[in-house]
Amino acid sequence: MSKQGYHHGNLRQALIQAALELIPEQGPTGFTLSEAAKRAGVTPAAVYRHFEGREDLIAECARQGYAIFADVMAHAWADGKPSALAAFSATGRAYLAFARQFPGHYMAMFESGILPNRSPNIAEAAARAQDITYRAASALMAHIPSDRRPPVAMFAAHIRALSHGVVELYARTPTSSPFSPEELLESGIGVYLRGLGLIAQDQ
């Protein structure tokens, strides 16, 4: 591909796409800006028209990832329809689907060292994504007597940790597990919800 210097049609998004391809291949900090520029078909100098450096580029990948993630989770939650429990299960499957379908975004969000508080834009996108889990947890908590109800934030954090663990250990790399990531996540959430009395022991 010939170098296009400063005349690329949409250089910013082309560089983001290049980074999203390189991140799964080399890790979020394993590629250089020169490699991203080469893949985008521009000169390395052209990168600095849009990004201060590699970290700035990865941060934008993370911001876009959080925005996509929030949309995916909101679609799965569907305002708690047809039931809070069914919709909650759908958000777990959506978490796995997002990690598989958007590996570059996922790694930029969770494995690059870029924290949501790096910028207001990233923080806003991350908060919107977390709010879906919080609302789903709140809807389920409403079915538990108040004296046995854990803090909603803790409940949501437990589910995020469980989902993230299944993604990291089983969904993104081949394993010898006899169970699919979906089965592992569903059964793990089931154990948790049974312990809270949200579903019957024989379900």
Side-chain angles (χ1 to χ4, degrees), residues 181-196:
E182 287 77 12
E183 290 175 313
L184 290 169
L185 182 57
E186 183 177 352
S187 62
I189 290 177
V191 169
Y192 188 87
L193 297 184
R194 287 187 192 94
L196 292 173

Side-chain angles (χ1 to χ4, degrees), residues 79-126:
D79 293 326
K81 300 174 183 176
S83 70
L85 183 58
F88 188 83
S89 297
T91 62
R93 292 191 295 273
Y95 195 111
L96 295 179
F98 172 80
R100 286 196 179 109
Q101 189 174 352
F102 300 96
H105 290 98
Y106 180 90
M107 294 175 73
M109 292 158 61
F110 299 118
E111 299 177 15
S112 67
I114 300 293
L115 299 177
N117 62 5
R118 185 181 190 274
S119 75
N121 288 339
I122 298 176
E124 180 181 357

Side-chain angles (χ1 to χ4, degrees), residues 99-174:
R100 286 196 179 109
Q101 189 174 352
F102 300 96
H105 290 98
Y106 180 90
M107 294 175 73
M109 292 158 61
F110 299 118
E111 299 177 15
S112 67
I114 300 293
L115 299 177
N117 62 5
R118 185 181 190 274
S119 75
N121 288 339
I122 298 176
E124 180 181 357
R128 190 165 70 90
Q130 291 185 1
D131 183 61
I132 302 299
T133 305
Y134 189 90
R135 283 194 284 141
S138 297
L140 286 178
M141 288 294 96
H143 297 281
I144 299 177
S146 58
D147 60 334
R148 293 177 44 227
R149 189 181 302 165
V152 174
M154 180 182 291
F155 180 101
H158 286 163
I159 296 302
R160 283 197 301 270
L162 179 59
S163 302
H164 191 74
V166 170
V167 167
E168 289 297 317
L169 294 174
Y170 300 103
R172 294 182 48 226
T173 57

